[in-house]
Amino acid sequence: MSLNRDDSPDAQPAKPAKGRIATRRVARSLAMQALYQWHMAGQSLNEIEAQFRVDNDFAGVDGAYFHELLTGVARSKTELDQAIAPLLDRPLEELDPVELAILRLSTYELMQRLDVPYRVVINEGIELAKVYGATDGHKFVNGVLDKLAPSLRSAEVRGERR
């Protein structure tokens, strides 16, 4: 299942990805969609991953990164939700499922992928929200991730502010 702004089921990345940055961007997009599907449909991760690999051209996708994001977010869901929840203006259960998937994915990257600069994680989350989220969802995602980054990447954030 793919998403776009109006939830029509066939959004695909616009261009084939080239280079590590581009292939990771597509991997993030597909992982977010797969996490949304996992949240909404309750299918097993193996089924969802297999479906995404069959239904999408993975030639321009960092497949290993897609797998890591999908399985890592699912495995760390409780820890991720505990990091996100105190920063919200409403209960986690009331979040738009697309924005929740983006926040979980971005929080996972902030916690586990120190090789990805925190500003890149935030920017990628915002871009996903602009494409797939509600009208102002990207502002919400930005606000939460901006508050979260200093607690998860304090040295990196402090170092950049100097």
Side-chain angles (χ1 to χ4, degrees):
M1 172 183 286
S2 298
L3 300 171
N4 68 15
R5 248 177 246 218
D6 57 11
D7 287 341
S8 63
D10 292 311
Q12 295 294 322
K15 302 174 192 162
K18 293 186 173 115
R20 192 178 104 212
I21 292 170
T23 61
R24 280 193 173 180
R25 178 168 287 146
V26 179
R28 274 185 199 94
S29 177
L30 291 173
M32 186 281 303
Q33 293 174 61
L35 290 165
Y36 169 87
Q37 183 171 330
W38 175 65
H39 176 79
M40 297 303 289
Q43 290 175 277
S44 80
L45 288 177
N46 288 340
E47 287 177 57
I48 292 170
E49 183 170 0
Q51 176 188 344
F52 270 74
R53 288 182 181 273
V54 167
D55 292 349
N56 297 280
D57 178 7
F58 263 65
V61 178
D62 183 334
Y65 205 65
F66 168 79
H67 176 78
E68 179 190 343
L69 292 174
L70 182 60
T71 58
V73 168
R75 185 177 55 251
S76 307
K77 179 181 165 286
T78 301
E79 180 184 6
L80 300 172
D81 288 355
Q82 288 171 345
I84 297 165
L87 306 172
L88 301 177
D89 59 356
R90 58 189 169 265
L92 200 70
E93 301 76 36
E94 292 180 15
L95 289 183
D96 176 276
V98 171
E99 290 159 11
L100 178 59
I102 293 167
L103 288 172
R104 284 175 173 161
L105 187 148
S106 299
T107 303
Y108 175 84
E109 283 191 290
L110 287 171
M111 288 179 163
Q112 302 297 327
R113 295 304 305 227
L114 300 181
D115 59 314
V116 181
Y118 84 95
R119 287 201 174 274
V120 171
V121 172
I122 292 171
N123 186 61
E124 292 293 320
I126 292 166
E127 292 305 314
L128 285 171
K130 284 180 179 177
V131 173
Y132 299 105
T135 302
D136 284 333
H138 66 285
K139 294 176 185 175
F140 175 75
V141 167
N142 184 29
V144 173
L145 295 177
D146 273 344
K147 290 182 220 167
L148 188 60
S151 67
L152 298 178
R153 300 271 190 101
S154 59
E156 185 181 357
V157 172
R158 268 194 326 272
E160 192 172 286
R161 289 185 179 163
R162 287 184 192 160

